[in-house]
Amino acid sequence: HFLNISMREYEGPGGPGGGPGLPRLPDSPAGPPGRAVAMIPCLMECRTPMDLRRVFATWWPLAASWLMMGFELPVVSAFVARLPDPELHLAAYGGVVFPLALIIEAPVVMLLAASTALSKDRPSYLKMRRFMFVSAAILTALHLLVAATPLFDFVVGQLLGAPEEVRGPARLGLLIMTPWTGSIAYRRFQQGVLIRFGRPRTVGVGTAVRLATNVLVVATGYALHSLPGIVVGTSAIAAGVLAEAVFIGFAVRPTLRGALTQAPPVAEPLTWRAFYAFYIPLALTSLLTFLAQPIASAALSRLPRAIDSLAVWPVMNGLVFTLRSMGLAFNEVVVALLDEPGARLPLLRFTRLLAAGTSAILALLAITPLGWLWFSGVSGLSPSLAGLGAGAIWISILVPAASVYQSWY
């Protein structure tokens, strides 16, 4: 991009500008005859005009990443459902391990949004990286404290009220999931840097690495058919997040050495007070959102058909989360684009379209036999469990749309 600058006042000796000025250039159609025009590089950051196409182009790589991450739970659940004692191990995974792992990692989930918005220069990046490492260490220690000490009996037995036969597999699964929080903190923080400096597609590649690792591990466990379902499932999840973190760590290096290092210092350096003012509301949002998981598990554990309900829970949750993931990806888009001129109307239009589309898919599953096929054929549940899951779809129809609007607001 170039700016056409009239040189009328700086034509050279004798010109209105006086002094030697710049050499007179040939007449240009951009100005009247006799007025030279210089072509100088545009010093402003040139952006594509904001429209639905620009919003979609920013959203779809992130949505692909979230969608593949959403597939993780249905894929793992489908394999576990085909191993011995599926109800017991699905209940342990979906009713205890996954909700506890989510609530422990909740404070670091929004590091992606924070890094996207605030990694404007290297000092800001280093400050937030320090926060990431400290938070990951503290939360991993908390994870081990819950999994490996008598605190497990209090949390799982008293607070969640999990059935006695589920607790043994759940403790084993939670121990295997120890790398979960640290891996997620590291890769989400570095993903924010990639998005900030124009490399969102790399995020999608990383999630593909994670999903491929999941499939490889669960397929190996299914082929062996000798390991408990909880071991196969949680090993796949832990291996997947570790593989993605390693990939993102290598992928972000060129950006750290190049664009981030060359970025000019911000006018007002990032302070801890400013960072916490930005981040704490985001962290509380994810904490309150994920808190629904252990609350639901605690309720299901105290209701009739507790083990059956807990067994269906990860499959149902995986289906809904897969559709919600497209709305959750929109959060990073809003953070990245909202401060640009003319962004509000295209973002709002995209919000409405995305909300309607995601909830319409869930409504289609509820109205047609596709819901039954999902739970019985794809997810591998027994007929009684498939009927339990298919009937619950109706309650969740508006959840994907709500996630989209939450990301917008």
Side-chain angles (χ1 to χ4, degrees), residues 223-238:
L224 294 174
H225 220 75
S226 58
L227 297 172
I230 191 68
V231 172
V232 174
T234 53
S235 295
I237 298 296

Side-chain angles (χ1 to χ4, degrees), residues 104-162:
I104 291 171
E105 67 145 347
V108 298
V109 166
M110 288 298 182
L111 278 172
L112 192 152
S115 183
T116 301
L118 302 178
S119 290
K120 299 177 180 179
D121 58 6
R122 188 164 182 80
S124 301
Y125 167 83
L126 293 175
K127 185 178 287 288
M128 287 189 291
R129 188 180 69 174
R130 192 179 317 138
F131 172 83
M132 179 269 294
F133 280 128
V134 172
S135 299
I138 293 173
L139 293 174
T140 299
L142 176 61
H143 185 114
L144 278 171
L145 189 66
V146 173
T149 71
L151 185 60
F152 177 88
D153 297 321
F154 173 73
V155 172
V156 176
Q158 301 299 318
L159 296 183
L160 295 185

Side-chain angles (χ1 to χ4, degrees), residues 143-228:
H143 185 114
L144 278 171
L145 189 66
V146 173
T149 71
L151 185 60
F152 177 88
D153 297 321
F154 173 73
V155 172
V156 176
Q158 301 299 318
L159 296 183
L160 295 185
E164 184 69 35
E165 54 265 49
V166 170
R167 298 177 195 178
R171 182 190 285 271
L172 178 59
L174 199 59
L175 284 169
I176 295 173
M177 288 276 285
T178 300
W180 164 270
T181 299
S183 299
I184 287 179
Y186 178 80
R187 60 100 171 167
R188 287 187 69 81
F189 173 68
Q190 304 293 12
Q191 283 173 336
V193 177
L194 291 171
I195 295 168
R196 174 81 195 181
F197 291 96
R199 297 179 58 196
R201 295 187 183 184
T202 308
V203 175
V205 176
T207 309
V209 170
R210 173 178 175 176
L211 187 60
T213 305
N214 294 151
V215 173
L216 178 63
V217 174
V218 291
T220 301
Y222 178 75
L224 294 174
H225 220 75
S226 58
L227 297 172

